[in-house]
Amino acid sequence: MDEVLSGFDYLTYYFYLLYYKFIGYPVVVRICIAVVTLCVVFYLFLALYLVYGIYRRQREKRLFARIHKRFYEPLKEVLGDRENRSVGEIAGLVEHDIKKSLKRQEMRFLVQVLIRIKSELGDDKVNNYNMQNVQGVFKVGSFFEREIQFGRSRRKIQALLSIQSVNGYVSEAVLVRFLYHRRIELRHAARFAYMWLSQSNPFRFFDEDVTMKLSRWNMAEIHMIVRHREKMGFVVPSFLKWVNSSVEDNVKAFFVSEIKLFDQTDNCPPLLEMLNTKTWTLRNEIVRTLGGMKYIESESKMVEIYDVQPEYIKRNILASVAGMQTGQALGFLHEAFERADDLGTKLCALTYLYDYGESGRALFGQLETLTTGYASQLFAHVKNPLTNRA
C-alpha cells in the first residue's frame, strides 16, 4: 500500500530526493551546480537590494521636493529680509507649529534647503539673526545633537559639517567625545566644528597633536573658520608657534601662508631667520609670505640665497624682490636674466625688470637693442599687451 505524504514529510522527501540525486553526479558537475546556485541566490539578493535602493531614492526625492516646496520660498524671504524677525513671527510666516517637530529625514532635507538658500543669497545678504531664529523654530540645534550622538558615522560627519554651513550651534560637550575619534574623517569634522563654536581654546589640537596631517581641503576649512571667528570679534591666533612646533612640512607651510593672509607683520623677523631651512616647501612659502607682506628687510637675504635655489623658488624670489619696489634690485634682476639657464626663469626675470619702474623699463629697452636670435622673442612676449602687466 502506498504511503501518502503530507506536511513536513512531503518537504523531507523531496529534499532527500534532490540530495541523493545531487550526490550521484560527478564532482565537476556538483561543483558547477553549487556555483550556479550561489550565483542565482546572490543575483536575487542583489536585485532585491537594487529595487529597494531605487524605491528609497525615489521616496527621498519626493520627500525633499515636498520639504522644498513647503519651506523654500518663505525661508528665503525671511533669511534675505533686513528686518529682524522673532521666533513667533517666523513660525507664522513659514506656517509651522513650534510645538511640533519634523521627522529626522525631513530635518535633514530642511538643513539642505537652508544651506542652498544661504549659498544662493551669499553670506553678506543672509540675516544671521533671522537664521538663528529659523533654527529655533525648527529646533535645528537639537537635531544636530541627536545626529552627532546617535546617528551613523556618515550622518555624524554630515551634521558636523552642516553646523558651519548654517552657522548652527551645539553644546561643546557633545563634540568632546569625538575630538580624538579613531576615524580620521569624523575626528577632523568634530575638531572643525569645535573650532567654529568654542570660545575658550578652539585651536588646542595644534598644540596637542604636533604630527597632525592636513589635506588641502582641511586647510581651506581652517582658514574659513579663522575668518569667521575674526568677523565674530575673536582674536586671531599667532600662527608662528605652530610653524615652529608642527612636524609636517606642508602644515608648517600652511601656517606660514596664514601669517601672510592675516597680515601678522610681527612674525616677519622670525620667518626671515627661518629662510635657510632645509625644507624646500617651507622655504618657498616663507619667500612668498615675506614678499607678499613686502617685508623690505628680507630683500638682501633673498638676493643672497638666490643662486642655490631650485627654479620654482628662484621665480618666487624674483616676484618677491620685484614686488617690494625698493629701487635697489635693478642689478639683481638684470643679472638674474643674464645668468638664467631655465627659459621660464629667464622670462620671469625679464618680466619683472620691465615692470620695475622707469629705470627697469629703460634697462629693458637697452637689453632689447643688444639681443638677437631666439632671445629677442622673450622681449616681444613681455611687451605684448596680452601678457605684460603694465
Side-chain angles (χ1 to χ4, degrees), residues 27 31 46 51 55 57 87 91 93 106 141 157 163-164 197 212 224 252 268 299 320 335 337 342-343 345:
V27 175
I31 292 173
L46 180 61
V51 170
Y55 165 75
R57 285 193 293 272
V87 171
L93 290 171
E106 292 176 328
I157 294 172
I163 290 172
Q164 302 174 42
L197 297 170
M212 181 184 293
M224 182 185 69
K252 288 184 175 184
C268 286
E299 183 181 72
S320 297
E335 186 176 356
F337 167 73
D342 182 85
L343 190 61
T345 304

mmCIF file with all atom_site columns, all heavy atoms in Angstrom, residues 27 31 46 51 55 57 87 91 93 106 141 157 163-164 197 212 224 252 268 299 320 335 337 342-343 345:
data_model
loop_
_atom_site.group_PDB
_atom_site.id
_atom_site.type_symbol
_atom_site.label_atom_id
_atom_site.label_alt_id
_atom_site.label_comp_id
_atom_site.label_asym_id
_atom_site.label_entity_id
_atom_site.label_seq_id
_atom_site.pdbx_PDB_ins_code
_atom_site.Cartn_x
_atom_site.Cartn_y
_atom_site.Cartn_z
_atom_site.occupancy
_atom_site.B_iso_or_equiv
_atom_site.pdbx_formal_charge
_atom_site.auth_seq_id
_atom_site.auth_comp_id
_atom_site.auth_asym_id
_atom_site.auth_atom_id
_atom_site.pdbx_PDB_model_num
ATOM 1   N N   . VAL A 1 27  ? 31.934 14.898 -9.609  1.00 0.00 ? 27  VAL A N   1
ATOM 2   C CA  . VAL A 1 27  ? 32.390 16.021 -8.782  1.00 0.00 ? 27  VAL A CA  1
ATOM 3   C C   . VAL A 1 27  ? 32.339 17.337 -9.552  1.00 0.00 ? 27  VAL A C   1
ATOM 4   O O   . VAL A 1 27  ? 31.895 18.373 -9.022  1.00 0.00 ? 27  VAL A O   1
ATOM 5   C CB  . VAL A 1 27  ? 33.824 15.755 -8.284  1.00 0.00 ? 27  VAL A CB  1
ATOM 6   C CG1 . VAL A 1 27  ? 34.342 16.978 -7.522  1.00 0.00 ? 27  VAL A CG1 1
ATOM 7   C CG2 . VAL A 1 27  ? 33.870 14.526 -7.400  1.00 0.00 ? 27  VAL A CG2 1
ATOM 8   N N   . ILE A 1 31  ? 30.185 20.672 -8.503  1.00 0.00 ? 31  ILE A N   1
ATOM 9   C CA  . ILE A 1 31  ? 30.785 21.994 -8.273  1.00 0.00 ? 31  ILE A CA  1
ATOM 10  C C   . ILE A 1 31  ? 30.091 23.054 -9.127  1.00 0.00 ? 31  ILE A C   1
ATOM 11  O O   . ILE A 1 31  ? 29.778 24.161 -8.654  1.00 0.00 ? 31  ILE A O   1
ATOM 12  C CB  . ILE A 1 31  ? 32.296 21.954 -8.585  1.00 0.00 ? 31  ILE A CB  1
ATOM 13  C CG1 . ILE A 1 31  ? 33.020 21.077 -7.556  1.00 0.00 ? 31  ILE A CG1 1
ATOM 14  C CG2 . ILE A 1 31  ? 32.888 23.365 -8.588  1.00 0.00 ? 31  ILE A CG2 1
ATOM 15  C CD1 . ILE A 1 31  ? 34.496 20.848 -7.877  1.00 0.00 ? 31  ILE A CD1 1
ATOM 16  N N   . LEU A 1 46  ? 20.907 40.687 -4.801  1.00 0.00 ? 46  LEU A N   1
ATOM 17  C CA  . LEU A 1 46  ? 21.353 41.944 -5.403  1.00 0.00 ? 46  LEU A CA  1
ATOM 18  C C   . LEU A 1 46  ? 20.199 42.663 -6.091  1.00 0.00 ? 46  LEU A C   1
ATOM 19  O O   . LEU A 1 46  ? 20.056 43.891 -5.975  1.00 0.00 ? 46  LEU A O   1
ATOM 20  C CB  . LEU A 1 46  ? 22.473 41.673 -6.408  1.00 0.00 ? 46  LEU A CB  1
ATOM 21  C CG  . LEU A 1 46  ? 23.055 42.894 -7.137  1.00 0.00 ? 46  LEU A CG  1
ATOM 22  C CD1 . LEU A 1 46  ? 23.672 43.862 -6.141  1.00 0.00 ? 46  LEU A CD1 1
ATOM 23  C CD2 . LEU A 1 46  ? 24.090 42.460 -8.166  1.00 0.00 ? 46  LEU A CD2 1
ATOM 24  N N   . VAL A 1 51  ? 16.383 47.098 -6.196  1.00 0.00 ? 51  VAL A N   1
ATOM 25  C CA  . VAL A 1 51  ? 14.984 47.557 -6.249  1.00 0.00 ? 51  VAL A CA  1
ATOM 26  C C   . VAL A 1 51  ? 14.656 48.391 -5.031  1.00 0.00 ? 51  VAL A C   1
ATOM 27  O O   . VAL A 1 51  ? 14.025 49.459 -5.125  1.00 0.00 ? 51  VAL A O   1
ATOM 28  C CB  . VAL A 1 51  ? 14.029 46.350 -6.355  1.00 0.00 ? 51  VAL A CB  1
ATOM 29  C CG1 . VAL A 1 51  ? 12.581 46.794 -6.162  1.00 0.00 ? 51  VAL A CG1 1
ATOM 30  C CG2 . VAL A 1 51  ? 14.190 45.677 -7.709  1.00 0.00 ? 51  VAL A CG2 1
ATOM 31  N N   . TYR A 1 55  ? 13.694 52.367 -4.888  1.00 0.00 ? 55  TYR A N   1
ATOM 32  C CA  . TYR A 1 55  ? 12.485 52.803 -4.184  1.00 0.00 ? 55  TYR A CA  1
ATOM 33  C C   . TYR A 1 55  ? 12.820 53.839 -3.114  1.00 0.00 ? 55  TYR A C   1
ATOM 34  O O   . TYR A 1 55  ? 12.125 54.864 -2.980  1.00 0.00 ? 55  TYR A O   1
ATOM 35  C CB  . TYR A 1 55  ? 11.796 51.593 -3.559  1.00 0.00 ? 55  TYR A CB  1
ATOM 36  C CG  . TYR A 1 55  ? 10.748 51.953 -2.519  1.00 0.00 ? 55  TYR A CG  1
ATOM 37  C CD1 . TYR A 1 55  ? 9.504  52.462 -2.897  1.00 0.00 ? 55  TYR A CD1 1
ATOM 38  C CD2 . TYR A 1 55  ? 11.024 51.806 -1.163  1.00 0.00 ? 55  TYR A CD2 1
ATOM 39  C CE1 . TYR A 1 55  ? 8.559  52.812 -1.945  1.00 0.00 ? 55  TYR A CE1 1
ATOM 40  C CE2 . TYR A 1 55  ? 10.082 52.152 -0.203  1.00 0.00 ? 55  TYR A CE2 1
ATOM 41  C CZ  . TYR A 1 55  ? 8.854  52.652 -0.603  1.00 0.00 ? 55  TYR A CZ  1
ATOM 42  O OH  . TYR A 1 55  ? 7.925  53.002 0.342   1.00 0.00 ? 55  TYR A OH  1
ATOM 43  N N   . ARG A 1 57  ? 15.461 55.874 -2.940  1.00 0.00 ? 57  ARG A N   1
ATOM 44  C CA  . ARG A 1 57  ? 15.873 57.150 -3.534  1.00 0.00 ? 57  ARG A CA  1
ATOM 45  C C   . ARG A 1 57  ? 14.676 57.928 -4.083  1.00 0.00 ? 57  ARG A C   1
ATOM 46  O O   . ARG A 1 57  ? 14.616 59.157 -3.927  1.00 0.00 ? 57  ARG A O   1
ATOM 47  C CB  . ARG A 1 57  ? 16.906 56.899 -4.635  1.00 0.00 ? 57  ARG A CB  1
ATOM 48  C CG  . ARG A 1 57  ? 18.290 56.558 -4.112  1.00 0.00 ? 57  ARG A CG  1
ATOM 49  C CD  . ARG A 1 57  ? 19.333 56.638 -5.221  1.00 0.00 ? 57  ARG A CD  1
ATOM 50  N NE  . ARG A 1 57  ? 19.117 55.590 -6.206  1.00 0.00 ? 57  ARG A NE  1
ATOM 51  C CZ  . ARG A 1 57  ? 19.621 54.365 -6.131  1.00 0.00 ? 57  ARG A CZ  1
ATOM 52  N NH1 . ARG A 1 57  ? 20.356 54.027 -5.080  1.00 0.00 ? 57  ARG A NH1 1
ATOM 53  N NH2 . ARG A 1 57  ? 19.406 53.478 -7.083  1.00 0.00 ? 57  ARG A NH2 1
ATOM 54  N N   . VAL A 1 87  ? 11.006 84.526 16.784  1.00 0.00 ? 87  VAL A N   1
ATOM 55  C CA  . VAL A 1 87  ? 10.705 83.120 16.523  1.00 0.00 ? 87  VAL A CA  1
ATOM 56  C C   . VAL A 1 87  ? 9.237  82.945 16.171  1.00 0.00 ? 87  VAL A C   1
ATOM 57  O O   . VAL A 1 87  ? 8.878  82.218 15.235  1.00 0.00 ? 87  VAL A O   1
ATOM 58  C CB  . VAL A 1 87  ? 11.080 82.263 17.758  1.00 0.00 ? 87  VAL A CB  1
ATOM 59  C CG1 . VAL A 1 87  ? 10.574 80.827 17.589  1.00 0.00 ? 87  VAL A CG1 1
ATOM 60  C CG2 . VAL A 1 87  ? 12.589 82.265 17.972  1.00 0.00 ? 87  VAL A CG2 1
ATOM 61  N N   . ALA A 1 91  ? 7.711  81.563 12.633  1.00 0.00 ? 91  ALA A N   1
ATOM 62  C CA  . ALA A 1 91  ? 6.836  80.377 12.631  1.00 0.00 ? 91  ALA A CA  1
ATOM 63  C C   . ALA A 1 91  ? 5.544  80.660 11.881  1.00 0.00 ? 91  ALA A C   1
ATOM 64  O O   . ALA A 1 91  ? 5.034  79.806 11.143  1.00 0.00 ? 91  ALA A O   1
ATOM 65  C CB  . ALA A 1 91  ? 6.542  79.947 14.068  1.00 0.00 ? 91  ALA A CB  1
ATOM 66  N N   . LEU A 1 93  ? 5.177  82.959 9.461   1.00 0.00 ? 93  LEU A N   1
ATOM 67  C CA  . LEU A 1 93  ? 5.480  83.177 8.043   1.00 0.00 ? 93  LEU A CA  1
ATOM 68  C C   . LEU A 1 93  ? 5.705  81.857 7.296   1.00 0.00 ? 93  LEU A C   1
ATOM 69  O O   . LEU A 1 93  ? 5.336  81.727 6.132   1.00 0.00 ? 93  LEU A O   1
ATOM 70  C CB  . LEU A 1 93  ? 6.715  84.076 7.906   1.00 0.00 ? 93  LEU A CB  1
ATOM 71  C CG  . LEU A 1 93  ? 6.519  85.553 8.309   1.00 0.00 ? 93  LEU A CG  1
ATOM 72  C CD1 . LEU A 1 93  ? 7.852  86.275 8.337   1.00 0.00 ? 93  LEU A CD1 1
ATOM 73  C CD2 . LEU A 1 93  ? 5.566  86.244 7.336   1.00 0.00 ? 93  LEU A CD2 1
ATOM 74  N N   . GLU A 1 106 ? 13.076 64.496 7.383   1.00 0.00 ? 106 GLU A N   1
ATOM 75  C CA  . GLU A 1 106 ? 12.586 65.812 6.977   1.00 0.00 ? 106 GLU A CA  1
ATOM 76  C C   . GLU A 1 106 ? 13.526 66.909 7.466   1.00 0.00 ? 106 GLU A C   1
ATOM 77  O O   . GLU A 1 106 ? 13.773 67.891 6.759   1.00 0.00 ? 106 GLU A O   1
ATOM 78  C CB  . GLU A 1 106 ? 11.176 66.030 7.527   1.00 0.00 ? 106 GLU A CB  1
ATOM 79  C CG  . GLU A 1 106 ? 10.121 65.144 6.899   1.00 0.00 ? 106 GLU A CG  1
ATOM 80  C CD  . GLU A 1 106 ? 8.748  65.313 7.530   1.00 0.00 ? 106 GLU A CD  1
ATOM 81  O OE1 . GLU A 1 106 ? 8.701  65.606 8.756   1.00 0.00 ? 106 GLU A OE1 1
ATOM 82  O OE2 . GLU A 1 106 ? 7.732  65.152 6.835   1.00 0.00 ? 106 GLU A OE2 1
ATOM 83  N N   . GLY A 1 141 ? 19.251 72.885 16.325  1.00 0.00 ? 141 GLY A N   1
ATOM 84  C CA  . GLY A 1 141 ? 20.338 72.553 17.243  1.00 0.00 ? 141 GLY A CA  1
ATOM 85  C C   . GLY A 1 141 ? 20.130 71.198 17.901  1.00 0.00 ? 141 GLY A C   1
ATOM 86  O O   . GLY A 1 141 ? 21.062 70.387 17.996  1.00 0.00 ? 141 GLY A O   1
ATOM 87  N N   . ILE A 1 157 ? 29.123 62.954 10.462  1.00 0.00 ? 157 ILE A N   1
ATOM 88  C CA  . ILE A 1 157 ? 30.011 63.851 9.712   1.00 0.00 ? 157 ILE A CA  1
ATOM 89  C C   . ILE A 1 157 ? 29.193 64.912 8.975   1.00 0.00 ? 157 ILE A C   1
ATOM 90  O O   . ILE A 1 157 ? 29.555 66.099 8.970   1.00 0.00 ? 157 ILE A O   1
ATOM 91  C CB  . ILE A 1 157 ? 30.878 63.043 8.737   1.00 0.00 ? 157 ILE A CB  1
ATOM 92  C CG1 . ILE A 1 157 ? 31.840 62.135 9.507   1.00 0.00 ? 157 ILE A CG1 1
ATOM 93  C CG2 . ILE A 1 157 ? 31.659 63.963 7.807   1.00 0.00 ? 157 ILE A CG2 1
ATOM 94  C CD1 . ILE A 1 157 ? 32.601 61.153 8.645   1.00 0.00 ? 157 ILE A CD1 1
ATOM 95  N N   . ILE A 1 163 ? 26.883 72.263 10.531  1.00 0.00 ? 163 ILE A N   1
ATOM 96  C CA  . ILE A 1 163 ? 26.888 73.294 11.577  1.00 0.00 ? 163 ILE A CA  1
ATOM 97  C C   . ILE A 1 163 ? 27.524 74.572 11.048  1.00 0.00 ? 163 ILE A C   1
ATOM 98  O O   . ILE A 1 163 ? 27.023 75.677 11.252  1.00 0.00 ? 163 ILE A O   1
ATOM 99  C CB  . ILE A 1 163 ? 27.635 72.784 12.831  1.00 0.00 ? 163 ILE A CB  1
ATOM 100 C CG1 . ILE A 1 163 ? 26.817 71.697 13.523  1.00 0.00 ? 163 ILE A CG1 1
ATOM 101 C CG2 . ILE A 1 163 ? 27.918 73.931 13.798  1.00 0.00 ? 163 ILE A CG2 1
ATOM 102 C CD1 . ILE A 1 163 ? 27.558 71.000 14.642  1.00 0.00 ? 163 ILE A CD1 1
ATOM 103 N N   . GLN A 1 164 ? 28.649 74.416 10.338  1.00 0.00 ? 164 GLN A N   1
ATOM 104 C CA  . GLN A 1 164 ? 29.322 75.586 9.776   1.00 0.00 ? 164 GLN A CA  1
ATOM 105 C C   . GLN A 1 164 ? 28.509 76.192 8.630   1.00 0.00 ? 164 GLN A C   1
ATOM 106 O O   . GLN A 1 164 ? 28.457 77.409 8.482   1.00 0.00 ? 164 GLN A O   1
ATOM 107 C CB  . GLN A 1 164 ? 30.706 75.189 9.281   1.00 0.00 ? 164 GLN A CB  1
ATOM 108 C CG  . GLN A 1 164 ? 31.606 74.594 10.350  1.00 0.00 ? 164 GLN A CG  1
ATOM 109 C CD  . GLN A 1 164 ? 32.902 74.085 9.765   1.00 0.00 ? 164 GLN A CD  1
ATOM 110 O OE1 . GLN A 1 164 ? 33.511 74.723 8.916   1.00 0.00 ? 164 GLN A OE1 1
ATOM 111 N NE2 . GLN A 1 164 ? 33.330 72.913 10.199  1.00 0.00 ? 164 GLN A NE2 1
ATOM 112 N N   . LEU A 1 197 ? 32.878 76.725 17.093  1.00 0.00 ? 197 LEU A N   1
ATOM 113 C CA  . LEU A 1 197 ? 31.969 77.063 18.181  1.00 0.00 ? 197 LEU A CA  1
ATOM 114 C C   . LEU A 1 197 ? 32.660 77.481 19.474  1.00 0.00 ? 197 LEU A C   1
ATOM 115 O O   . LEU A 1 197 ? 32.119 78.293 20.227  1.00 0.00 ? 197 LEU A O   1
ATOM 116 C CB  . LEU A 1 197 ? 31.054 75.860 18.488  1.00 0.00 ? 197 LEU A CB  1
ATOM 117 C CG  . LEU A 1 197 ? 30.112 75.409 17.361  1.00 0.00 ? 197 LEU A CG  1
ATOM 118 C CD1 . LEU A 1 197 ? 29.463 74.088 17.735  1.00 0.00 ? 197 LEU A CD1 1
ATOM 119 C CD2 . LEU A 1 197 ? 29.052 76.466 17.106  1.00 0.00 ? 197 LEU A CD2 1
ATOM 120 N N   . MET A 1 212 ? 49.866 66.240 13.416  1.00 0.00 ? 212 MET A N   1
ATOM 121 C CA  . MET A 1 212 ? 48.608 66.315 12.675  1.00 0.00 ? 212 MET A CA  1
ATOM 122 C C   . MET A 1 212 ? 48.857 66.496 11.186  1.00 0.00 ? 212 MET A C   1
ATOM 123 O O   . MET A 1 212 ? 49.658 67.322 10.766  1.00 0.00 ? 212 MET A O   1
ATOM 124 C CB  . MET A 1 212 ? 47.753 67.478 13.201  1.00 0.00 ? 212 MET A CB  1
ATOM 125 C CG  . MET A 1 212 ? 46.415 67.616 12.491  1.00 0.00 ? 212 MET A CG  1
ATOM 126 S SD  . MET A 1 212 ? 45.460 69.055 13.046  1.00 0.00 ? 212 MET A SD  1
ATOM 127 C CE  . MET A 1 212 ? 45.076 68.578 14.725  1.00 0.00 ? 212 MET A CE  1
ATOM 128 N N   . MET A 1 224 ? 38.787 79.215 6.597   1.00 0.00 ? 224 MET A N   1
ATOM 129 C CA  . MET A 1 224 ? 37.431 79.751 6.646   1.00 0.00 ? 224 MET A CA  1
ATOM 130 C C   . MET A 1 224 ? 36.969 79.928 8.096   1.00 0.00 ? 224 MET A C   1
ATOM 131 O O   . MET A 1 224 ? 36.311 80.919 8.431   1.00 0.00 ? 224 MET A O   1
ATOM 132 C CB  . MET A 1 224 ? 36.472 78.815 5.904   1.00 0.00 ? 224 MET A CB  1
ATOM 133 C CG  . MET A 1 224 ? 35.029 79.319 5.847   1.00 0.00 ? 224 MET A CG  1
ATOM 134 S SD  . MET A 1 224 ? 33.912 78.122 5.106   1.00 0.00 ? 224 MET A SD  1
ATOM 135 C CE  . MET A 1 224 ? 33.903 76.858 6.384   1.00 0.00 ? 224 MET A CE  1
ATOM 136 N N   . LYS A 1 252 ? 53.349 73.195 8.209   1.00 0.00 ? 252 LYS A N   1
ATOM 137 C CA  . LYS A 1 252 ? 54.161 74.386 8.505   1.00 0.00 ? 252 LYS A CA  1
ATOM 138 C C   . LYS A 1 252 ? 53.983 75.442 7.413   1.00 0.00 ? 252 LYS A C   1
ATOM 139 O O   . LYS A 1 252 ? 53.785 76.631 7.698   1.00 0.00 ? 252 LYS A O   1
ATOM 140 C CB  . LYS A 1 252 ? 55.639 74.005 8.603   1.00 0.00 ? 252 LYS A CB  1
ATOM 141 C CG  . LYS A 1 252 ? 56.022 73.213 9.838   1.00 0.00 ? 252 LYS A CG  1
ATOM 142 C CD  . LYS A 1 252 ? 57.531 72.999 9.857   1.00 0.00 ? 252 LYS A CD  1
ATOM 143 C CE  . LYS A 1 252 ? 57.965 72.310 11.138  1.00 0.00 ? 252 LYS A CE  1
ATOM 144 N NZ  . LYS A 1 252 ? 59.425 72.161 11.229  1.00 0.00 ? 252 LYS A NZ  1
ATOM 145 N N   . CYS A 1 268 ? 57.254 88.480 10.852  1.00 0.00 ? 268 CYS A N   1
ATOM 146 C CA  . CYS A 1 268 ? 58.196 88.532 9.738   1.00 0.00 ? 268 CYS A CA  1
ATOM 147 C C   . CYS A 1 268 ? 59.655 88.335 10.165  1.00 0.00 ? 268 CYS A C   1
ATOM 148 O O   . CYS A 1 268 ? 60.375 87.562 9.515   1.00 0.00 ? 268 CYS A O   1
ATOM 149 C CB  . CYS A 1 268 ? 58.036 89.859 8.982   1.00 0.00 ? 268 CYS A CB  1
ATOM 150 S SG  . CYS A 1 268 ? 56.534 89.930 7.980   1.00 0.00 ? 268 CYS A SG  1
ATOM 151 N N   . GLU A 1 299 ? 64.834 91.519 1.582   1.00 0.00 ? 299 GLU A N   1
ATOM 152 C CA  . GLU A 1 299 ? 65.273 91.597 0.193   1.00 0.00 ? 299 GLU A CA  1
ATOM 153 C C   . GLU A 1 299 ? 66.723 91.159 0.038   1.00 0.00 ? 299 GLU A C   1
ATOM 154 O O   . GLU A 1 299 ? 67.036 90.328 -0.827  1.00 0.00 ? 299 GLU A O   1
ATOM 155 C CB  . GLU A 1 299 ? 65.097 93.016 -0.332  1.00 0.00 ? 299 GLU A CB  1
ATOM 156 C CG  . GLU A 1 299 ? 65.478 93.161 -1.804  1.00 0.00 ? 299 GLU A CG  1
ATOM 157 C CD  . GLU A 1 299 ? 65.308 94.583 -2.296  1.00 0.00 ? 299 GLU A CD  1
ATOM 158 O OE1 . GLU A 1 299 ? 66.120 95.446 -1.914  1.00 0.00 ? 299 GLU A OE1 1
ATOM 159 O OE2 . GLU A 1 299 ? 64.347 94.827 -3.047  1.00 0.00 ? 299 GLU A OE2 1
ATOM 160 N N   . SER A 1 320 ? 59.021 88.274 -5.388  1.00 0.00 ? 320 SER A N   1
ATOM 161 C CA  . SER A 1 320 ? 59.018 88.956 -4.091  1.00 0.00 ? 320 SER A CA  1
ATOM 162 C C   . SER A 1 320 ? 59.890 90.200 -4.110  1.00 0.00 ? 320 SER A C   1
ATOM 163 O O   . SER A 1 320 ? 59.481 91.277 -3.650  1.00 0.00 ? 320 SER A O   1
ATOM 164 C CB  . SER A 1 320 ? 59.500 87.988 -2.997  1.00 0.00 ? 320 SER A CB  1
ATOM 165 O OG  . SER A 1 320 ? 58.619 86.892 -2.871  1.00 0.00 ? 320 SER A OG  1
ATOM 166 N N   . GLU A 1 335 ? 71.008 90.714 -13.603 1.00 0.00 ? 335 GLU A N   1
ATOM 167 C CA  . GLU A 1 335 ? 71.922 89.569 -13.505 1.00 0.00 ? 335 GLU A CA  1
ATOM 168 C C   . GLU A 1 335 ? 71.156 88.249 -13.554 1.00 0.00 ? 335 GLU A C   1
ATOM 169 O O   . GLU A 1 335 ? 71.603 87.276 -14.157 1.00 0.00 ? 335 GLU A O   1
ATOM 170 C CB  . GLU A 1 335 ? 72.727 89.666 -12.211 1.00 0.00 ? 335 GLU A CB  1
ATOM 171 C CG  . GLU A 1 335 ? 73.806 88.612 -12.096 1.00 0.00 ? 335 GLU A CG  1
ATOM 172 C CD  . GLU A 1 335 ? 74.656 88.810 -10.843 1.00 0.00 ? 335 GLU A CD  1
ATOM 173 O OE1 . GLU A 1 335 ? 74.438 89.807 -10.126 1.00 0.00 ? 335 GLU A OE1 1
ATOM 174 O OE2 . GLU A 1 335 ? 75.512 87.951 -10.587 1.00 0.00 ? 335 GLU A OE2 1
ATOM 175 N N   . PHE A 1 337 ? 68.451 87.691 -15.152 1.00 0.00 ? 337 PHE A N   1
ATOM 176 C CA  . PHE A 1 337 ? 68.075 87.459 -16.548 1.00 0.00 ? 337 PHE A CA  1
ATOM 177 C C   . PHE A 1 337 ? 69.254 86.930 -17.346 1.00 0.00 ? 337 PHE A C   1
ATOM 178 O O   . PHE A 1 337 ? 69.119 85.967 -18.110 1.00 0.00 ? 337 PHE A O   1
ATOM 179 C CB  . PHE A 1 337 ? 67.557 88.761 -17.166 1.00 0.00 ? 337 PHE A CB  1
ATOM 180 C CG  . PHE A 1 337 ? 67.449 88.710 -18.660 1.00 0.00 ? 337 PHE A CG  1
ATOM 181 C CD1 . PHE A 1 337 ? 66.446 87.969 -19.274 1.00 0.00 ? 337 PHE A CD1 1
ATOM 182 C CD2 . PHE A 1 337 ? 68.360 89.402 -19.464 1.00 0.00 ? 337 PHE A CD2 1
ATOM 183 C CE1 . PHE A 1 337 ? 66.352 87.917 -20.660 1.00 0.00 ? 337 PHE A CE1 1
ATOM 184 C CE2 . PHE A 1 337 ? 68.273 89.340 -20.841 1.00 0.00 ? 337 PHE A CE2 1
ATOM 185 C CZ  . PHE A 1 337 ? 67.260 88.600 -21.450 1.00 0.00 ? 337 PHE A CZ  1
ATOM 186 N N   . ASP A 1 342 ? 67.253 78.339 -17.163 1.00 0.00 ? 342 ASP A N   1
ATOM 187 C CA  . ASP A 1 342 ? 65.891 77.918 -17.448 1.00 0.00 ? 342 ASP A CA  1
ATOM 188 C C   . ASP A 1 342 ? 65.148 79.045 -18.177 1.00 0.00 ? 342 ASP A C   1
ATOM 189 O O   . ASP A 1 342 ? 65.174 80.205 -17.744 1.00 0.00 ? 342 ASP A O   1
ATOM 190 C CB  . ASP A 1 342 ? 65.176 77.570 -16.136 1.00 0.00 ? 342 ASP A CB  1
ATOM 191 C CG  . ASP A 1 342 ? 63.767 77.076 -16.362 1.00 0.00 ? 342 ASP A CG  1
ATOM 192 O OD1 . ASP A 1 342 ? 63.599 75.877 -16.608 1.00 0.00 ? 342 ASP A OD1 1
ATOM 193 O OD2 . ASP A 1 342 ? 62.836 77.901 -16.289 1.00 0.00 ? 342 ASP A OD2 1
ATOM 194 N N   . LEU A 1 343 ? 64.462 78.688 -19.264 1.00 0.00 ? 343 LEU A N   1
ATOM 195 C CA  . LEU A 1 343 ? 63.782 79.697 -20.068 1.00 0.00 ? 343 LEU A CA  1
ATOM 196 C C   . LEU A 1 343 ? 62.648 80.369 -19.290 1.00 0.00 ? 343 LEU A C   1
ATOM 197 O O   . LEU A 1 343 ? 62.416 81.575 -19.427 1.00 0.00 ? 343 LEU A O   1
ATOM 198 C CB  . LEU A 1 343 ? 63.236 79.055 -21.347 1.00 0.00 ? 343 LEU A CB  1
ATOM 199 C CG  . LEU A 1 343 ? 62.705 80.020 -22.417 1.00 0.00 ? 343 LEU A CG  1
ATOM 200 C CD1 . LEU A 1 343 ? 63.815 80.947 -22.891 1.00 0.00 ? 343 LEU A CD1 1
ATOM 201 C CD2 . LEU A 1 343 ? 62.123 79.239 -23.586 1.00 0.00 ? 343 LEU A CD2 1
ATOM 202 N N   . THR A 1 345 ? 62.492 80.860 -16.007 1.00 0.00 ? 345 THR A N   1
ATOM 203 C CA  . THR A 1 345 ? 63.088 81.790 -15.048 1.00 0.00 ? 345 THR A CA  1
ATOM 204 C C   . THR A 1 345 ? 63.600 83.037 -15.762 1.00 0.00 ? 345 THR A C   1
ATOM 205 O O   . THR A 1 345 ? 63.465 84.159 -15.258 1.00 0.00 ? 345 THR A O   1
ATOM 206 C CB  . THR A 1 345 ? 64.242 81.106 -14.296 1.00 0.00 ? 345 THR A CB  1
ATOM 207 O OG1 . THR A 1 345 ? 63.757 79.909 -13.679 1.00 0.00 ? 345 THR A OG1 1
ATOM 208 C CG2 . THR A 1 345 ? 64.822 82.023 -13.229 1.00 0.00 ? 345 THR A CG2 1
#
